[in-house]
Amino acid sequence: MSVDVAREKMMFTIAGEWLRRGWHDFRQAAVLNMIFAALFLLIGLAIGTLLLYRGFSLVYFIVAGGFLIVVPGLVAVYYHLAERIHGGNKPGFVDITEGFRQCPVSVLVIGLVSLVIYLIWITDALIIYSVYFDFVSTSLAAYKADPVLRTDALAFLLFVSFLGFVLSFISFCVTAFSIPYAFQRRCGLVDAVSFSVRIVSHSPRLMLFWAVVLGGLTFFTVLLALPLLLVVLPVLAYANYATYSDMRQLMGPE
C-alpha cells in the first residue's frame, strides 16, 4: 500500500517539475508566446460566442473537447521555439516563421491524422447530440428549469466525455512526442510515431497521468477561462517538451 502511495506522490512531483520547466521556458519570451497563442484564442472566442449566442452551449462542450485532439499539431511551432531557448537563444517573431518553414513533412502528416480523428469526434458527438436534443437550440436556463432535459444533458455529457477521452488519449499516444522528435531529428512519419508510442508504452501509468494533466488543464481553460489560453497553451507546450526531453534521455540510446 505504501509503495503505491509513494508512486502516486512521485507522479505528482514529476508532473509538477515539468510544468515548472514549462513556465520557465514560457517566461523567456512571454510576449511572443502569448501573441502566437492569441490566434487560437480569437478563433475560440469567435466559435464560443456564436454557439452560446445561438443557444448551443452543449455543442461548445464538443468543440472544447475536440480541441484536445488537434492541439498537439497546433502548438508544434513552440517545440521549435523550445529548441531555440535551450540552445541559448532568445526567440523572436522570425523564429515563428522559421518554425513553419522548417516543419517536417512528417509533422504535417501527423497534423492531418489529428484532424481526421477530430472530424470523427465531431461527427460522432453531433450524431449523439441529435439523438438527445434534435439539434434544437436550448438556453442554459432551460436546462436548469427542466429536470428531464437536465438528465438528458448529464447523460449526453457523460457519454461524449468517455468517447472524447478515448480519442484524445489515442491522439496523445500518436502525437505527444512524435512532433518534437520529428522537429529535432528531421525523421519520417513511422519513426516519429513509433518513438511516441514507445515512450507511452515504457511508462504507461505516468504517461496516462500526464495526458490527464495536459488534457484537463487545456479543456477546462477552453471551457471555463478561455482568455487564460494565452498563457496555458504555451506553458503546456513547453512542459510537454520537457517531458519529451526527459523521456528520451530515459529511453537511452536508439
Side-chain angles (χ1 to χ4, degrees), residues 82-242:
E83 289 284 321
R84 297 283 294 164
I85 292 171
H86 289 266
N89 302 296
K90 185 174 180 60
F93 289 101
V94 68
D95 292 300
I96 293 180
T97 305
E98 190 69 10
F100 281 111
R101 192 182 68 80
Q102 293 187 8
C103 185
V105 174
S106 53
V107 173
L108 298 177
V109 175
I110 291 168
L112 180 61
V113 171
S114 300
L115 179 60
V116 171
I117 297 176
Y118 172 76
L119 292 176
I120 292 173
W121 154 254
I122 289 293
T123 301
D124 291 349
L126 289 179
I127 290 173
I128 297 170
Y129 182 89
S130 67
V131 170
Y132 279 99
F133 307 108
D134 293 325
F135 265 111
V136 177
S137 61
T138 308
S139 66
L140 291 175
Y143 290 114
K144 296 178 182 179
D146 189 337
V148 176
L149 190 60
R150 190 163 61 245
T151 301
D152 286 344
L154 178 60
F156 167 77
L157 291 175
L158 290 174
F159 194 11
V160 296
S161 294
F162 175 76
L163 175 62
F165 174 80
V166 171
L167 291 177
S168 296
F169 187 67
I170 291 173
S171 177
F172 174 84
C173 293
V174 172
T175 64
F177 308 110
S178 60
I179 295 176
Y181 186 73
F183 258 107
Q184 192 173 72
R185 293 293 299 271
R186 323 303 298 179
C187 63
L189 176 65
V190 175
D191 289 340
V193 171
S194 62
F195 174 79
S196 184
V197 173
R198 281 204 313 273
I199 285 184
V200 176
S201 302
H202 183 272
S203 305
R205 291 180 68 235
L206 177 59
M207 289 299 100
L208 176 61
F209 179 73
W210 183 235
V212 170
V213 170
L214 291 179
L217 289 174
T218 304
F219 177 71
F220 286 109
T221 299
V222 174
L223 192 65
L224 302 174
L226 192 57
L228 290 181
L229 199 67
L230 290 176
V231 174
V232 172
L233 193 62
V235 167
L236 294 185
Y238 288 128
N240 195 60
Y241 181 84

Side-chain angles (χ1 to χ4, degrees), residues 17-85:
E17 173 62 17
W18 287 334
L19 290 172
R20 186 193 67 78
R21 287 160 61 185
W23 172 250
H24 176 270
D25 287 352
F26 166 79
R27 291 177 61 192
Q28 304 310 302
V31 174
L32 177 67
N33 291 320
M34 289 192 291
I35 288 175
F36 184 63
L39 172 64
F40 309 110
L41 172 62
L42 292 175
I43 294 173
L45 285 173
I47 294 174
T49 301
L50 177 62
L51 290 175
L52 294 177
Y53 176 75
R54 294 292 184 180
F56 291 102
S57 54
L58 292 184
V59 175
Y60 182 65
F61 179 89
I62 295 174
V63 174
F67 184 69
L68 302 182
I69 298 173
V70 296
V71 70
L74 298 178
V75 301
V77 170
Y78 284 119
Y79 298 129
H80 175 71
L81 299 181
E83 289 284 321
R84 297 283 294 164
I85 292 171

